Amino acid sequence: EVKLVESGGGLVQPGRSLKLSCAASGFSFNDYWMGWVRQAPGKGLEWIGEINQDSSTINYTPSLKDKFTISRDNAQNTLYLQMSKLGSEDTAIYYCARINYGGRTDAWGQGASVTVSS
Amino acid sequence: DTVLTQSPALAVSPGERVTISCRASESVSTLMHWYQQKPGQQPTLLIYLASNLESGVPARFSGSGSGTDFTLTIDPVEADDTATYYCQQSWNDPNTFGAGTKLELK
């Protein structure tokens, strides 16, 4: 069974940083592109970015590029999202996703909730 | 960025046929995918590459389209289909999602 489990979410003060992790199991992690998607409360889905199998290509939605850094550790089957200079607009559920052929996301984690507030 | 436009909401009765549209601001070829999201849950993939049914998804769901105009069809609609449906394109960088169509059952 394909499983993605995010961790590291919580309450963080404005201007601070936070790093999310996504533990993958049930598939060959190093064969897939992986990505992050977020969803603000009551809002739609927003693509953050994606990383290829060997981390040689990392793409971001341009408006979010300065705030987020995506990385992965294939030995640990783990995907990461480093978030910096957080503001209230970054309050959201952050989903880890597996990207399959053609760019579809065919597996999603349950999401990590991040609340930015003083 | 490629903007995907969806109608915000639809209300249908069980047993009816419903079509949910997604229009792209520029061509996305057939790299269009559809997701279902129920309240409090993560999205799940329904249709990929415009018209391919994801494994395990009921055949009541189908997709069509290419270029800029795409459709997700549910026929017949069941009570369990109450959810928000999102389209997503992966042809142009960055990937983008539509704002979602909330489907309600009468």
Side-chain angles (χ1 to χ4, degrees):
Chain A
E1 178 195 6
V2 172
K3 200 169 183 182
L4 300 170
V5 180
E6 299 94 338
S7 61
L11 177 64
V12 60
Q13 293 180 328
R16 303 298 291 264
S17 299
L18 194 67
K19 188 172 186 177
L20 303 181
S21 301
C22 170
S25 60
F27 65 101
S28 181
F29 180 72
N30 56 11
D31 283 344
Y32 288 87
W33 285 70
M34 298 293 296
W36 288 95
V37 177
R38 72 177 181 178
Q39 186 170 36
K43 302 297 185 182
L45 302 169
E46 182 177 28
W47 190 268
I48 296 173
E50 70 267 13
I51 184 170
N52 74 339
Q53 292 88 336
D54 65 2
S55 304
S56 60
T57 301
I58 306 173
N59 300 315
Y60 299 93
T61 291
S63 60
L64 303 178
K65 184 173 183 177
D66 292 337
K67 185 181 289 286
F68 297 106
T69 302
I70 297 173
S71 61
R72 64 191 293 166
D73 183 340
N74 287 343
Q76 298 293 324
N77 291 340
T78 302
L79 178 72
Y80 300 101
L81 180 67
Q82 177 70 53
M83 305 183 288
S84 63
K85 299 178 182 177
L86 290 166
S88 58
E89 69 277 8
D90 299 312
T91 292
I93 296 176
Y94 287 76
Y95 293 105
C96 159
R98 186 179 80 170
I99 302 169
N100 211 326
Y101 174 76
R104 68 193 191 264
T105 50
D106 67 349
W108 298 67
Q110 85 287 351
S113 179
V114 174
T115 301
V116 183
S117 175
S118 55
Chain B
D1 298 1
T2 303
V3 176
L4 303 180
T5 301
Q6 298 182 242
S7 50
L10 290 170
V12 298
S13 299
E16 291 185 345
R17 178 177 184 267
V18 65
T19 58
I20 297 171
S21 65
C22 178
R23 174 163 288 177
S25 60
E26 57 187 324
S27 177
V28 301
S29 185
T30 57
L31 268 62
M32 180 65 77
H33 322 294
W34 291 93
Y35 302 87
Q36 178 191 67
Q37 187 179 34
K38 296 181 178 180
Q41 298 184 17
Q42 68 269 50
T44 58
L45 179 66
L46 297 174
I47 300 289
Y48 63 94
L49 300 176
S51 60
N52 296 274
L53 189 67
E54 173 70 350
S55 176
V57 174
R60 303 183 291 104
F61 293 87
S62 63
S64 64
S66 66
T68 60
D69 289 293
F70 297 85
T71 299
L72 172 71
T73 300
I74 311 173
D75 186 16
V77 170
E78 296 183 358
D80 188 53
D81 299 334
T82 297
T84 300
Y85 294 84
Y86 294 93
C87 56
Q88 177 228 340
Q89 68 81 25
S90 56
W91 178 253
N92 300 309
D93 285 331
N95 287 6
T96 50
F97 289 95
T101 297
K102 188 173 184 178
L103 180 66
E104 296 182 342
L105 278 288
K106 295 177 184 176

